[in-house]
Amino acid sequence: HVALVAVDASDPMELLAVGRFVRLPDDPLTADVAVVVGDCHQGMRLGTRIGRLLADAARERGIRRLSATMRADNVPAHRLFDSVSSRLVEGSLGHGVHDVIGELAA
């Protein structure tokens, strides 16, 4: 389990964003990943930066795939997954929710 946080340098108690991944016990080459950026800090590429750092950390630990569940209309999340993946597989879980698995780019 790896977690990263982004805080405001002038106020370290202000949490801006959080990202984490957890290796799946039944598939140790895959980890579930999530990134959350506070509403007032979106559009600053924090999610992208944390996501890429998490992908790097996953690769270093031998993880080859990241999985996530996200809203189908969450364009930034889909873009992030696309940027760190060499191959992307999406499936619809219904009600506007997608399950996404991305092979990590080397």
Side-chain angles (χ1 to χ4, degrees):
H1 186 150
V2 171
L4 301 173
V5 297
V7 297
D8 185 329
S10 64
D11 181 7
M13 296 304 291
E14 183 181 354
L15 187 62
L16 308 179
V18 176
R20 62 97 180 128
F21 71 76
V22 177
R23 188 186 300 260
L24 300 181
D26 59 332
D27 182 2
L29 297 179
T30 304
D32 187 53
V33 65
V35 177
V36 178
V37 178
D39 288 344
C40 60
H41 302 292
Q42 291 185 7
M44 300 168 56
R45 304 195 51 84
L46 286 172
T48 298
R49 293 164 98 184
I50 287 177
R52 288 185 177 161
L53 289 169
L54 286 171
D56 291 344
R59 274 189 221 90
E60 290 171 5
R61 289 161 175 79
I63 293 169
R64 295 189 184 153
R65 289 175 296 280
L66 294 178
S67 67
T69 302
M70 62 185 75
R71 290 184 45 91
D73 62 355
N74 187 340
V75 174
H78 285 271
R79 235 185 263 138
L80 169 61
F81 242 74
D82 191 45
S83 75
V84 299
S85 301
S86 61
R87 187 172 74 88
L88 201 59
V89 177
E90 291 190 48
S92 177
L93 298 175
H95 304 288
V97 177
H98 280 181
D99 190 26
V100 180
I101 299 174
E103 299 285 334
L104 287 173

